[in-house]
């Protein structure tokens, strides 16, 4: 089954404790991206990657890091999480054609105390 | 800066009462405009991509249209199962994606 998986689905942590949210897709997609979703603000893109070893900042990259060492994986790293990073996070992937459909993962709900 | 504004924020409809959602946008080099549906606690689900002004696409009770400044999602004779948040997004020439805040549609039986 074609899918985007994220782990963990739920995470409660404390300020300053480094964490990684994993994202994996099995569709051989070139494009992958991370979003955060907050009430009233909608989905905001954090980082995106056009292919292996190619990453670019989205609209809200501060406080986040990403890497794309393999085509299928695109982890999101919070080196020193803060309470304002409490949010619902989505990973998505797509082919690299003209404005292709994005396939979204199930989401990771992160709470930073 | 690319910008996407959706209106209204919320829409309450009676079953069978047709209506339209608006998405106005400014973007540098539009590669495409997307409509997604999102149910509570789930990831967005793709509905349509529109590429150029004048284009229209349909799927069941939904029809999306595009002009140079805005897009409309028309819901014809909605059913309760059409209740969801509908998201509009644009992809710019640098492949960055920008989403609107969404319109939450509630359809009462």
């Amino acid at each position: 089954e074609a899918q985007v998986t994220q782990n963990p689905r739920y995470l409660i942590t404390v300020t300053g404790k480094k964490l990684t949210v994993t994202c994996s897709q099995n569709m051989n997609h070139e494009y992958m991206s991370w979003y955060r979703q907050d009430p009233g603000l909608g989905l905001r893109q954090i980082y995106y990657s056009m292919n292996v070893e190619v990453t670019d900042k989205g609209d809200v990259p501060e406080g986040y890091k990403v890497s794309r060492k393999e085509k299928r994986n695109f982890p999101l790293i919070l080196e020193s999480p803060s309470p304002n990073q409490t949010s619902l996070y989505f990973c998505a992937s797509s082919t690299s054609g003209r404005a292709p459909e994005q396939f979204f993962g199930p989401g990771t709900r992160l709470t930073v105390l | 800066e690319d910008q996407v504004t959706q209106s209204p924020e919320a829409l309450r409809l009676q079953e069978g009462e047709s209506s339209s959602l608006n998405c106005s946008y400014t973007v540098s080099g539009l590669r495409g405009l997307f409509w997604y549906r999102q149910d509570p606690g789930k990831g967005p689900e793709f509905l349509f991509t529109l590429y150029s002004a004048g284009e229209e696409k349909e799927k069941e009770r939904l029809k999306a249209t595009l002009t140079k400044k805005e897009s409309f999602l028309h819901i014809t004779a909605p059913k309760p199962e059409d209740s969801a948040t509908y998201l509009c997004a644009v992809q710019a020439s640098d492949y960055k994606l920008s989403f609107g805040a969404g319109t939450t549609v509630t359809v009462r039986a």
Side-chain angles (χ1 to χ4, degrees), chain A residues 31 35 37 45 48 98 102, chain B residues 31 36 38 94-95 97:
Chain A
Y31 187 99
Y35 302 86
Q37 188 171 36
Q45 194 172 43
Y48 61 102
R98 183 183 177 188
Q102 297 266 306
Chain B
R31 294 182 62 82
Y36 285 84
Q38 186 175 24
D94 61 359
Y95 295 90
L97 267 161

Side-chain angles (χ1 to χ4, degrees), chain B residues 28-77:
Chain B
S28 52
L30 179 71
R31 294 182 62 82
L33 182 142
F34 304 88
W35 282 99
Y36 285 84
R37 170 194 170 122
Q38 186 175 24
D39 294 305
K42 295 191 175 182
E45 179 185 324
F46 173 79
L47 293 173
F48 305 108
T49 305
L50 301 167
Y51 297 99
S52 55
E55 191 174 359
E56 299 182 352
K57 288 194 177 172
E58 283 188 72
K59 180 180 180 179
E60 295 180 2
R61 295 176 292 282
L62 301 176
K63 179 180 176 180
T65 61
L66 181 64
T67 72
K68 287 188 178 178
K69 293 183 179 180
E70 58 189 352
S71 176
F72 292 92
L73 183 66
H74 307 279
I75 310 178
T76 302

Side-chain angles (χ1 to χ4, degrees), chain A residues 36-45 60 87, chain B residues 4 87 99-102:
Chain A
R36 61 178 290 173
Q37 188 171 36
D38 302 289
L41 296 177
L43 278 160
R44 292 179 292 168
Q45 194 172 43
V60 288
S87 187
Chain B
V4 181
L87 303 172
F99 279 80

